[in-house]
Amino acid sequence: MKKEEFIKLGIDEELAKKCETASLEELKGYIPKTRFDEVNNEKKKLELDLRERNTQLEDLKNSTGDVVEMKKRIETLQSENKEKEENYAKEIKQLKLNNAIDMALGMAKAKNTLAVKALLKDMDKADFTDDGKIKGLDEQIKALKESDSYLFEDSKAKKVNIKGAAPCEGTNEEIHKPDMSKMSYEELTAYMENNTISE
């Protein structure tokens, strides 16, 4: 947390500065969960590939027979492995894209990332720039903030105080007191019987 955030919590400035330093020190070795997931998935995939290839080599080693047949088998395994690598590369790229989009929407303070993602165009064909951002994403988010601002939190939003109706002046009896000058004799006697205060 930053010093200003600690001060907002009611901590004095000197202590807030110490807290900020401690917070930064604690986060020094922090790895974002998205990056951890990427590396973890890659590790699992590599372990699986290694086991598969070892099994394939054992099968070839133990097989006896025609050299031509073995060459065909090797070519088949090579093409299968190449296809698996391409599919895996696509999965990793998509995972990185999704993580980058989620982070960008978080920074833009999207209220509902799924709703905003649905409005983004051509994200399945998106690619990264040299600085690690997604091409055209910032422009799309900016356009959505203008066209559909309700999807994003507005840091500059003013708090509106809604005031209720002004209270009526006078006592409850005065407000609800009927005009006796407009009552008939029967109405007046009925009113007097019902509203007479006994001493």
Side-chain angles (χ1 to χ4, degrees):
M1 286 176 70
K2 294 184 178 177
K3 183 174 83 171
E4 294 79 21
E5 293 171 335
F6 283 113
I7 291 172
K8 284 180 184 176
L9 293 172
I11 298 173
D12 66 39
E13 192 167 339
E14 186 179 324
L15 184 58
K17 192 172 185 177
K18 289 179 183 177
C19 290
E20 179 185 34
T21 306
S23 180
L24 290 173
E25 188 65 33
E26 185 178 335
L27 294 175
K28 217 177 233 182
Y30 174 75
I31 298 171
K33 183 175 182 335
T34 54
R35 179 67 183 135
F36 173 79
D37 289 343
E38 287 174 23
V39 172
N40 198 28
N41 287 339
E42 200 164 329
K43 176 186 171 280
K44 288 177 184 176
K45 172 69 171 114
L46 290 172
E47 288 173 349
L48 182 66
D49 286 349
L50 184 61
R51 281 197 301 270
E52 277 184 28
R53 298 225 169 112
N54 285 340
T55 304
Q56 291 170 355
L57 288 172
E58 280 299 315
D59 289 347
L60 286 174
K61 186 172 131 185
N62 294 333
S63 66
T64 57
D66 192 10
V67 175
V68 176
E69 201 57 44
M70 275 188 150
K71 283 183 180 179
K72 284 182 184 176
R73 177 76 178 133
I74 290 170
E75 287 173 5
T76 304
L77 290 174
Q78 285 174 334
S79 65
E80 286 175 3
N81 289 336
K82 185 177 180 183
E83 187 180 329
K84 285 179 186 177
E85 284 176 19
E86 289 170 357
N87 289 337
Y88 179 68
K90 286 178 188 175
E91 286 176 22
I92 289 294
K93 181 182 176 186
Q94 193 60 47
L95 179 66
K96 287 180 179 180
L97 280 170
N98 288 339
N99 289 338
I101 291 169
D102 286 342
M103 287 181 71
L105 293 176
M107 296 294 283
K109 296 186 178 181
K111 291 180 182 177
N112 184 336
T113 55
L114 288 176
V116 177
K117 271 186 184 180
L119 297 173
L120 296 174
K121 296 175 184 149
D122 298 326
M123 283 297 110
D124 54 336
K125 300 173 191 169
D127 207 359
F128 288 99
T129 59
D130 294 334
D131 61 352
K133 293 186 176 184
I134 299 174
K135 290 179 186 174
L137 180 62
D138 290 338
E139 292 80 11
Q140 285 195 52
I141 291 174
K142 186 177 179 183
L144 282 173
K145 275 186 164 183
E146 291 172 11
S147 65
D148 299 302
S149 60
Y150 62 90
L151 292 171
F152 299 89
E153 290 179 16
D154 187 10
S155 58
K156 298 175 186 174
K158 295 179 181 176
K159 291 185 178 177
V160 179
N161 289 330
I162 300 173
K163 296 180 181 178
C168 298
E169 294 181 11
T171 65
N172 193 27
E173 287 178 7
E174 290 172 346
I175 294 168
H176 298 290
K177 192 173 187 180
D179 188 2
M180 287 189 238
S181 63
K182 296 180 181 175
M183 289 184 184
S184 68
Y185 178 76
E186 289 82 23
E187 292 172 332
L188 186 59
T189 53
Y191 177 77
M192 294 297 278
E193 284 176 16
N194 294 328
N195 293 301
T196 307
I197 299 173
S198 60
E199 294 181 12

